[in-house]
């Protein structure tokens, strides 16, 4: 029996030749078609002693399909790798290329990428199908309500998630959603940024399909390349945002190399503060700015990560010595381990602290006048909360009297209310009056202010535990406050009274 068209094939010519010569022939892989069947075969033609010519046929269809698939997928992965490494990289275009290559190589009905946008919702960012082949957004297919959480649990610990026949799976909301849109088989690859799933690359079929190991491995490889692109894009954007924040920030900021102490970058505020131009500062190290050996030792503590902040003496270009508090946080950029420093000039604050201690020591007999003076200093420093101290003092005193505290304890509460924000003299006005959300570093300055207040008042003999009250007026009875996270059993009644008065006054006042 001959397949249709075999008379025109190499096999027919080989059989004729073997019949005439008797010498065996090999016919290389050739495509044959018989009805609706087709394939590739290699044939070995021999002449029997009886004179008959026979051919041994070996079906190469599957192995050739695998070879073709491997070549196509290798070419696709190479194209994606070159695109990721090329100049002018665009994540959106990269996503389109990735889903187009996956759809073409796997011959699926639809392919696309979901991204987790917000809690309880997952948006379809891009998809295409075999009909149109065009990448597009389709918000109508966004996952919502409880579906994303169930779906994320299914793919959480997997390199890939596949279903060969949806109708044979155990019923669930996710399976029902696939049945609703007519999907019969799926192959999904979780995409992660630093280990956290941000969405999947999905392949859907309208018919049941057994996914081969080659197909799964290819889809996983594309997912790995996509993951690298997502992480790189976030890193680049994060560095860009940070650099913009760094350059535009009004606080004095320096970037230093954690290993050498060299100044890698500086913002304008730092150039003005130290009175150097940018290029000169970038050619210096923190050693050049330290006013003495003690200050250099403190700076080295920062670089080694042994302390989040230090007080140091620094020298400007003019030779002027200033007292500063330096706050540090680690930062990685361009394969360098850096430290971001925020430098706060506390020269005036320290002078104010010393002067305050001396004044209170001399005017102990005129305590009320001294307390009023301090309150005015804070008011002048932070006009946006003018009157806050007095209001807190009055409210705290009223609470103490209503609770039946004796005169001495009520007096302690009243004075603590006037002085609870004395430490704000050490916080830059730009932060105190900032009308928008504070950065983490700025918030760390604010959260330290009760400690500064405690240090200011600790040695000043005002009568009663005023320093302790000032230190604890932001602690909360459930342990959620700062700076020490104390709970109700560790907080004095006076501290709790001032805390309540401070919160209530803040709620009813207009302030940043």
């Amino acid at each position: 029996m001959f397949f249709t068209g075999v008379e025109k094939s190499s096999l027919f010519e080989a059989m004729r030749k073997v019949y005439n010569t008797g010498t065996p022939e090999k016919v290389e892989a050739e495509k044959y078609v018989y009805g609706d069947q087709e394939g590739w075969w290699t044939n070995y033609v021999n002449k029997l002693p009886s004179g008959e010519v026979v051919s041994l046929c070996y079906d190469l269809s599957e192995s050739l399909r695998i070879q073709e698939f491997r070549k196509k997928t290798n070419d696709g992965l190479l194209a994606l790798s070159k695109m990721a490494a090329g100049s002018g990289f665009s994540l959106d275009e990269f996503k389109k290329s990735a889903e187009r290559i996956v759809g073409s190589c796997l011959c699926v009905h639809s392919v696309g990428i979901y991204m987790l946008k917000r809690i309880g919702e997952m948006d379809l960012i891009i998809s295409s199908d075999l009909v149109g082949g065009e990448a597009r957004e389709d918000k109508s297919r966004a996952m919502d309500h409880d579906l994303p959480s169930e779906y994320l649990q299914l793919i959480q610990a997997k390199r890939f998630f596949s279903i060969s026949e949806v109708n044979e799976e155990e019923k669930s909301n996710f399976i029902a959603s696939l049945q609703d849109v007519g999907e019969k088989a799926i192959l999904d690859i979780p995409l992660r940024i630093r280990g956290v799933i941000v969405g999947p690359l999905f392949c859907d079929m309208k018919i049941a399909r057994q996914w081969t190991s080659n197909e799964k491995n290819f889809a996983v490889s594309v997912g790995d390349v996509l993951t690298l692109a997502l992480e790189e894009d976030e890193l680049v954007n994060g560095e860009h945002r940070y650099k913009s924040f760094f350059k535009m920030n009004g606080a004095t900021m320096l970037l230093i190399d954690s290993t050498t102490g060299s100044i890698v970058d500086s913002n304008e505020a730092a150039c003005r503060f130290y009175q150097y131009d940018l290029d000169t500062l970038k050619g210096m190290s923190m050693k050049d700015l330290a006013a003495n050996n003690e200050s250099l030792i403190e700076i080295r503590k920062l670089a080694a990560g042994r302390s989040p902040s230090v007080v140091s003496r620094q020298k400007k270009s003019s030779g002027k010595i200033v007292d500063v508090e330096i706050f540090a946080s680690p930062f990685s950029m361009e394969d360098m381990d850096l430290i971001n420093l925020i430098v706060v000039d506390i020269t005036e604050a320290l002078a104010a602290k010393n002067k305050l201690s001396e004044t209170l020591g001399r005017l102990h007999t005129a305590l009320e006048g001294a307390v009023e003076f301090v309150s005015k200093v804070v008011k002048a420093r932070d006009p946006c909360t003018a009157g806050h101290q007095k209001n807190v003092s009055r409210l705290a005193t009223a609470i103490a009297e209503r609770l039946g505290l004796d005169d001495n304890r009520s007096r302690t509460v009243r004075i603590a209310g006037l002085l609870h924000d004395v430490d704000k003299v050490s916080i830059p006005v730009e932060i105190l009056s900032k009308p928008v959300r504070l950065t983490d570093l700025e918030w760390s300055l604010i959260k330290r202010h009760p400690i500064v207040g405690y240090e200011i008042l600790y040695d000043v003999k005002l009568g009663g535990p005023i320093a302790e009250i000032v230190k604890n007026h932001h602690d909360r009875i459930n342990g959620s406050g700062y700076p020490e996270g104390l709970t109700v059993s560790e907080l004095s009644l006076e501290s709790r009274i001032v805390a309540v008065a401070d919160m209530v006054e803040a709620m009813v006042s207009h302030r940043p």
Side-chain angles (χ1 to χ4, degrees):
M1 177 182 70
F2 288 107
F3 293 133
T4 303
V6 76
E7 297 87 350
K8 300 178 181 179
S9 70
S10 300
L11 174 60
F12 187 79
E13 291 299 323
M15 295 183 75
R16 185 185 313 195
K17 185 176 180 180
V18 170
Y19 180 80
N20 292 328
T21 64
T23 304
E25 291 280 336
K26 176 185 177 182
V27 181
E28 298 296 340
E30 191 171 15
K31 187 174 183 179
Y32 297 93
V33 178
Y34 183 67
D36 59 353
Q37 300 180 19
E38 61 180 58
W40 292 81
W41 289 277
T42 290
N43 293 274
Y44 294 87
V45 184
N46 292 274
K47 187 174 182 178
L48 301 178
S50 63
E52 295 177 306
V53 176
V54 297
S55 175
L56 299 177
C57 302
Y58 294 91
D59 189 348
L60 302 179
S61 304
E62 185 61 26
S63 62
L64 288 177
R65 274 195 293 270
I66 292 174
Q67 289 179 23
E68 183 180 1
F69 176 79
R70 285 177 177 169
K71 182 181 185 308
K72 192 173 182 179
T73 55
N74 286 339
D75 290 345
L77 289 171
L78 180 60
L80 287 176
S81 298
K82 288 181 177 179
M83 187 176 181
S87 59
F89 174 79
S90 166
L91 182 60
D92 288 339
E93 292 302 317
F94 188 80
K95 289 177 182 176
K96 292 178 183 178
S97 296
E99 59 92 30
R100 185 175 61 250
I101 288 172
V102 170
S104 171
C105 290
L106 297 186
C107 299
V108 295
H109 290 136
S110 60
V111 60
I113 297 172
Y114 274 111
M115 295 294 285
L116 192 63
K117 301 294 286 184
R118 59 190 71 86
I119 296 176
E121 186 174 327
M122 192 175 284
D123 285 352
L124 181 64
I125 299 302
I126 186 174
S127 69
S128 64
D129 53 47
L130 292 182
V131 178
E134 292 295 326
R136 67 188 186 283
E137 291 189 19
D138 186 359
K139 297 297 185 183
S140 65
R141 289 191 59 188
M143 295 187 194
D144 55 14
H145 305 303
D146 298 330
L147 200 54
S149 58
E150 178 186 329
Y151 178 71
L152 288 173
Q153 289 179 357
L154 290 172
I155 66 174
Q156 186 62 48
K158 294 180 172 64
R159 290 271 285 161
F160 64 85
F161 174 61
S162 64
I163 296 177
S164 298
E165 173 53 81
V166 169
N167 293 331
E168 294 179 359
E169 295 294 310
E170 184 178 345
K171 197 71 172 179
S172 69
N173 291 333
F174 176 66
I175 295 300
S177 71
L178 293 176
Q179 293 172 336
D180 289 342
V181 294
E183 306 298 354
K184 295 295 181 63
I186 65 169
L187 174 60
D188 292 6
I189 309 301
L191 304 175
R192 293 176 169 86
I193 294 180
R194 294 190 300 277
V196 178
I197 293 179
V198 294
L201 166 68
F202 69 87
C203 302
D204 292 348
M205 295 292 294
K206 299 296 183 184
I207 59 174
R209 174 171 176 171
Q210 290 291 334
W211 304 98
T212 68
S213 59
N214 286 331
E215 290 169 338
K216 293 174 181 175
N217 290 334
F218 167 64
V220 166
S221 297
V222 175
D224 289 341
V225 177
L226 258 173
T227 291
L228 290 175
L230 290 169
E231 290 181 339
E232 180 68 17
D233 182 73
E234 185 185 71
L235 179 62
V236 170
N237 287 335
E239 287 187 5
H240 176 73
R241 287 192 295 270
Y242 181 82
K243 287 178 179 178
S244 297
F245 162 79
F246 179 81
K247 290 297 183 183
M248 299 300 294
N249 201 290
T252 300
M253 300 179 73
L254 297 170
L255 274 179
I256 68 168
D257 188 322
S258 62
T259 56
T260 65
S262 299
I263 298 173
V264 176
D265 204 356
S266 162
N267 66 355
E268 260 186 59
C271 292
R272 289 194 301 270
F273 179 75
Y274 287 106
Q275 300 171 341
Y276 289 104
D277 60 62
L278 178 60
D279 290 337
T280 302
L281 261 182
K282 289 172 69 174
M284 301 171 68
S285 72
M286 293 304 294
K287 179 180 179 180
D288 301 318
L289 299 178
N292 50 44
N293 286 334
E294 289 182 6
S295 296
L296 183 57
I297 292 172
E298 294 300 314
I299 296 297
R300 285 173 177 164
K301 286 182 182 178
L302 282 181
R306 296 198 299 271
S307 176
S309 68
V310 297
V311 174
S312 169
R313 305 208 82 192
Q314 303 268 286
K315 58 185 177 184
K316 299 187 177 185
S317 172
S318 62
K320 181 180 179 181
I321 305 297
V322 291
D323 293 298
V324 299
E325 186 165 13
I326 305 176
F327 297 84
S329 63
F331 178 71
S332 296
M333 181 176 67
E334 298 172 356
D335 299 326
M336 295 179 65
D337 292 326
L338 307 177
I339 299 177
N340 180 40
L341 303 182
I342 292 184
V343 182
V344 181
D345 186 352
I346 59 171
T347 305
E348 294 182 5
L350 288 178
K353 174 183 176 181
N354 295 333
K355 186 174 182 179
L356 177 62
S357 297
E358 294 172 3
T359 301
L360 290 178
R362 292 194 307 267
L363 302 178
H364 184 63
T365 56
L367 178 61
E368 300 299 330
V371 170
E372 184 69 19
F373 165 76
V374 176
S375 179
K376 288 180 178 179
V377 170
V378 177
K379 175 181 176 182
R381 178 69 172 164
D382 184 18
C384 291
T385 55
H388 171 68
Q389 290 75 230
K390 280 192 173 181
N391 292 339
V392 171
S393 179
R394 284 198 294 264
L395 184 55
T397 303
I399 296 173
E401 291 173 350
R402 180 63 64 90
L403 291 175
L405 271 63
D406 61 36
D407 291 341
N408 286 334
R409 294 181 75 184
S410 295
R411 173 176 168 275
T412 296
V413 166
R414 177 167 57 82
I415 295 174
L418 282 171
L419 296 179
H420 75 283
D421 279 342
V422 64
D423 43 271
K424 286 189 175 178
V425 295
S426 68
I427 300 174
V429 174
E430 295 88 343
I431 295 178
L432 289 176
S433 305
K434 190 172 182 179
V436 296
R437 186 179 182 88
L438 299 181
T439 66
D440 290 342
L441 286 172
E442 291 169 338
W443 182 233
S444 70
L445 285 174
I446 292 293
K447 290 176 74 172
R448 191 179 180 277
H449 85 85
I451 295 292
V452 177
Y454 172 79
E455 292 172 350
I456 291 173
L457 299 173
Y458 180 76
D459 291 325
V460 181
K461 306 304 180 182
L462 298 176
I466 292 174
E468 291 289 337
I469 297 171
V470 169
K471 182 176 66 172
N472 297 331
H473 79 276
H474 278 298
D475 276 308
R476 299 292 177 254
I477 61 174
N478 63 356
S480 64
Y482 63 86
E484 296 180 312
L486 303 181
T487 58
V488 61
S489 62
E490 301 167 299
L491 292 168
S492 68
L493 179 58
E494 290 88 341
S495 296
R496 285 180 274 154
I497 289 173
V498 173
V500 170
D502 183 38
M503 284 193 296
V504 171
E505 206 288 327
M507 290 182 211
V508 299
S509 300
H510 177 70
R511 62 193 300 185

